Amino acid sequence: MRIESIYRYPVKGLTAEALEEVALTPGETLPDDRRFALAQGDSAFDPAAPHWLPKRNFGCLMANARLALVHSAYDSRTGDLALRFPDEPLFVASTRSEEGRAAIAARLAAFMGDEARGAPRFVEAPGHSFSDVAKKVVSIIGLTSLHALEQAAGAALDPLRFRANVYVSGGMPWAEFDWIGQEIQLGQARLRVVKRIVRCPATEVNPATAERDAEPPRWLRTHFGHADLGVYAEVLEAGRIAAGDALEVLG
């Protein structure tokens, strides 16, 4: 099997950013993956004492499909976040200043309209990841499994609906489910696969149009008896991964 594409998602619920290669660190996510989030006004998230909370505490595609229309780009060197809203000029603000974070929160909240609860905050906490799971992991999807779902449902599905970090080709459909508890060599890094990824209504959202025009969770249950696609893996040994690198199951 080989890596076809790699993505990070600096802001939870916003744009996927493609990477040609990236260095993985033991016990960590991809650098800057889910580093930021828009905490709803009624969220209990405290940047001074961060702990994992369910996704509904934050702006997310499961509840806020409209966010798919916002195109974002994060500059890791400067800390600037660029946001392009439909029919509006490019908006850029710093994630490193209180003023910049407040401006980002205000623009996103205004765009969300009634879906913004209270006074949302644009938040980060050093070392914290706004992942859908509490453990710091890398998400991997086998494209043959996705193609099996497409064939069964009779529908084409943009892989970015599933917001994985790594997409791999080759192998048999659903083979990645057999890796649970096993180690894999991914490029120069070694990881342990820890669990399957249960799919939620976020995957119903078309990343290009923000329309809910597909039902992957229901299609998975109907045709395969589960709602899972992809796996989570924790990094055990540091190393770089790049498009074209091999994935090998170590056992």
Side-chain angles (χ1 to χ4, degrees):
M1 303 180 74
R2 56 164 273 165
I3 298 173
E4 293 297 330
S5 52
I6 305 169
Y7 292 93
R8 69 175 187 178
Y9 307 81
V11 183
K12 186 177 184 67
L14 295 188
T15 305
E17 297 185 1
L19 304 170
E20 285 297 317
E21 62 176 16
V22 66
L24 299 184
T25 301
E28 296 295 333
T29 64
L30 266 67
D32 296 324
D33 190 51
R34 277 81 171 186
R35 176 173 178 172
F36 306 100
L38 183 71
Q40 293 279 18
D42 57 3
S43 170
F45 184 78
D46 180 0
H51 65 279
W52 182 86
L53 290 173
K55 66 181 73 176
R56 284 193 177 275
N57 285 269
F58 310 98
C60 63
L61 293 178
M62 181 180 73
N64 316 113
R66 184 170 168 77
L67 287 176
L69 295 175
V70 181
H71 295 275
S72 63
Y74 174 64
D75 188 327
S76 301
R77 297 166 299 174
T78 65
D80 286 349
L81 180 68
L83 299 173
R84 187 176 294 280
F85 299 89
D87 304 317
E88 292 186 22
L90 184 67
F91 168 82
V92 181
S94 175
T95 63
R96 297 177 182 173
S97 71
E98 184 175 345
E99 180 182 45
R101 292 189 297 272
I104 294 168
R107 292 297 294 269
L108 287 171
F111 183 74
M112 290 169 64
D114 293 341
E115 292 182 356
R117 306 192 303 269
R121 299 164 292 139
F122 188 76
V123 293
E124 74 166 315
H128 183 76
S129 170
F130 294 97
S131 172
D132 287 348
V133 293
K135 184 184 287 288
K136 291 184 178 180
V137 289
V138 173
S139 55
I140 304 170
I141 284 181
L143 290 171
T144 54
S145 300
L146 174 57
H147 296 331
L149 173 60
E150 291 179 309
Q151 185 174 19
L157 296 169
D158 186 334
L160 290 181
R161 285 180 185 265
F162 301 92
R163 300 179 69 79
N165 295 127
V166 179
Y167 293 87
V168 297
S169 61
M172 297 296 293
W174 317 112
E176 55 269 34
F177 292 168
D178 295 331
W179 307 343
I180 305 299
Q182 298 190 62
E183 294 182 7
I184 59 174
Q185 187 74 33
L186 188 66
Q188 299 174 356
R190 186 167 55 88
L191 301 85
R192 178 184 293 112
V193 180
V194 294
K195 67 181 296 186
R196 290 155 60 151
I197 304 175
V198 181
R199 291 302 165 181
C200 75
T203 60
E204 298 172 354
V205 179
N206 187 316
T209 67
E211 296 178 357
R212 293 189 183 274
D213 59 3
E215 299 179 279
R218 184 178 69 81
W219 294 340
L220 283 164
R221 290 191 296 269
T222 297
H223 297 289
F224 302 102
H226 58 74
D228 307 339
L229 183 67
V231 293
Y232 289 122
E234 58 182 348
V235 181
L236 301 178
E237 186 176 295
R240 299 192 73 82
I241 64 171
D245 281 352
L247 183 157
E248 178 185 358
V249 180
L250 301 176

